Amino acid sequence: MHQDSTAPPCQPPPEVPLSEAAAEDLVHGICFKTGPPRLVGAELEWLVVDAERPWIPLDADRLTAAHDAAGALPLRSRFTVEPGGQLELSSAPARSLTACVDGLQADLTAVRGALGAQGLALRGLGRDPRRPYRRLLDSPRYRAMESYFDRTGPAGRAMMCASASVQVCVDAGLEEPGPLGHGRRWRLAHLLGAVLVAAFANSPAHEGPYAGWRCARQGIWSDIDARRALAPPLDAEPRDAWTRHALDTEVMCVRSCGPSWQAPDGLTFRDWLRTGGPRPPTRADLDYHLTTLFPPVRPRGHLELRMIDAQPGEDGWLVPVAVTHALFDDPEAAETAYRVVKALADAYGGRRAPRNRLWRTAARAGLADPDLRAAAVACFAAAAEALPRLRASTHVSDTVGAFAERYVLRGRCPADDQDQRQPAGKETRP
């Protein structure tokens, strides 16, 4: 959610208005760029907290100073700030897991050092328990986003200002069928996604609408509006399904030279194409609209898996990155993972993720659910066998193994540790 551009110039070069057919062709053509899987990437979101008193909210000046210090570093990753002040590092596409992990680890070490000098720290937690939720960034995009989400309730502000994740990016896959084919990988992402939600759940809630959930962050995302955070229908052809989904989702903002980017209530991008109002849409408007869609798996040429909570500890983040990469890009592990998660398809049913029974069970129960636990055990075992084939370092393999021993094999997730540290009802003091 870090794409935050400035307003377009007041006298931009003229653009030809986009037709509905052209828009469909564009989305259809760019959503899956097929070929042999070669690249992996990750985007890490963190809460910024006081190192000694992590439960206290930080004022805007202190957060801004932290962002300035981190942004001044010579990082290899892209550094951005989320609306509530969460810090994000996005790796460059890497040709190996080792290159991806090493680059992020080096940047995180530098960022932690800069923040530590100010008495601050990074905290990996899927949902910030501190209140109130406050939007730090003031830009036309985020003003329009906040106004849009306020129409449907408080979940939108919580998503913007209080959520953090580990996002893993893998290539779309081959055009032809098979374990590395893009159709198989698309389906795998949505079935395996529930297992990843359960295994890495790290946003427990003790009160409110998600009380008792292991992954309250998923509840927040599923409630932001009627369509924006949903997956397309799983059994439809992926390109066609995503194209329809993208064009039939409401427009969040219409960029302009002025301070207000608010869009008319209820206007889908397809409506905009057909009516031409409030002004004719262009290719740039379509590109921007696609950045405002937040499904659990977003096709951006590659596949962006967005369902994993931010993880605790200095190295917790590398476990979902390594496991996901192994289960997608090692052919043997991919075949095993697909065979395992196919058994979960009945629970997925006809409803779209994350609102179907499988995903909601994962968010509520984590690995306490026996079917998800069995799937996670098998998938982690397949990933552990694949990591040496992918030339993962001993440190990565050992960290994945330690996570499996501590959580997966015991039917636990990181949220269970949070429960032990935080008495029920103490939402503001983790």
Side-chain angles (χ1 to χ4, degrees), residues 363-384:
R364 286 183 172 129
L367 293 186
D369 177 80
D371 293 334
L372 288 164
R373 176 181 180 178
V377 169
C379 286
F380 268 74

Side-chain angles (χ1 to χ4, degrees), residues 100-110 112 315 317-318 395:
C100 177
V101 168
D102 286 353
L104 283 167
Q105 281 183 321
D107 287 343
L108 280 168
T109 297
R112 288 189 174 111
D315 293 336
W317 61 271
L318 68 78
H395 174 65

Side-chain angles (χ1 to χ4, degrees), residues 234-255:
L234 187 58
D235 291 331
E237 196 283 322
R239 286 190 176 96
D240 292 342
W242 177 249
T243 299
R244 287 193 299 270
H245 177 79
L247 297 187
D248 291 333
T249 299
E250 286 187 27
V251 175
M252 178 179 287
C253 50
V254 176
R255 296 182 300 159

Side-chain angles (χ1 to χ4, degrees), residues 87 251 256 347:
L87 182 152
V251 175
S256 72

